[in-house]
């Protein structure tokens, strides 16, 4: 069996299915990162406690180490968010623009059509 036969033997999704799967994966990653951010926020609140007074008599080195950990995690989340934004931008540009039928054009002559959707970074 050749490589081409293996490809044709699989269920290859249509363009719309592939785009829908891509958008679903972006949404799932966003949800996962949201949970990660909430966990980091909870960890920070536990670290400083309710009155923000560091009641555990932490040393400056412990506070700096914790701060570096938070910065590292937030930096990773920021990079992941940037990649998701690029994926979303690509997916938006892959969606076919649907032309209006004659009936739709008569009903919405005053509406402006969006030629292109562009995300600014």
């Amino acid at each position: 069996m050749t490589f081409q036969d293996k490809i044709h033997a699989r269920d290859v999704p249509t363009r719309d299915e592939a785009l829908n799967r891509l958008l679903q994966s972006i949404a799932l990653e966003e949800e996962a990162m949201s949970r990660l951010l909430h966990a980091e926020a909870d960890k920070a609140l536990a670290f400083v406690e309710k009155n923000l007074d560091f009641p555990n008599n932490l040393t400056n080195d412990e506070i700096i180490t914790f701060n570096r950990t938070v910065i590292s995690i937030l930096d990773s989340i920021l990079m992941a968010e940037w990649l998701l934004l690029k994926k979303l931008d690509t997916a938006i540009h892959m969606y076919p623009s649907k032309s209006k039928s004659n009936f739709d054009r008569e009903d919405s002559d005053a509406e402006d059509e969006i030629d292109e959707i562009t995300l600014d970074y």
Side-chain angles (χ1 to χ4, degrees):
M1 181 177 263
T2 67
F3 183 69
Q4 290 294 330
D5 293 335
K6 288 180 182 179
I7 291 175
H8 293 298
R10 292 187 198 158
D11 184 26
V12 179
T14 65
R15 179 186 176 108
D16 285 343
E17 290 171 340
L19 286 171
N20 284 336
R21 289 179 188 175
L22 179 62
L23 292 175
Q24 287 174 351
S25 75
I26 292 170
L28 288 173
E29 284 186 67
E30 288 288 349
E31 184 179 354
M33 281 191 281
S34 169
R35 290 180 181 171
L36 183 60
L37 280 172
H38 281 283
E40 278 301 306
D42 290 343
K43 188 170 84 173
L45 288 174
F47 186 76
V48 297
E49 296 211 359
K50 287 184 181 180
N51 297 327
L52 306 177
D53 58 0
F54 298 100
N56 295 330
N57 297 325
L58 300 170
T59 66
N60 286 340
D61 287 339
E62 290 171 326
I63 294 171
I64 290 170
T65 300
F66 177 78
N67 191 36
R68 286 182 180 155
T69 303
V70 171
I71 289 170
S72 175
I73 290 171
L74 291 177
D75 190 43
S76 296
I77 290 172
L78 179 65
M79 286 187 281
E81 284 289 343
W82 185 83
L83 288 172
L84 286 176
L85 183 62
K86 294 298 285 180
K87 282 171 68 174
L88 181 61
D89 190 38
T90 300
I92 287 172
H93 286 86
M94 290 174 63
Y95 262 102
S97 61
K98 297 188 179 188
S99 60
K100 293 185 176 183
S101 67
N102 289 336
F103 179 77
D104 291 334
R105 286 188 190 128
E106 292 173 4
D107 287 345
S108 62
D109 284 341
E111 291 181 22
D112 293 335
E113 290 188 35
I114 298 174
D115 294 330
E116 186 176 325
I117 298 174
T118 304
L119 299 176
D120 295 326
Y121 308 107

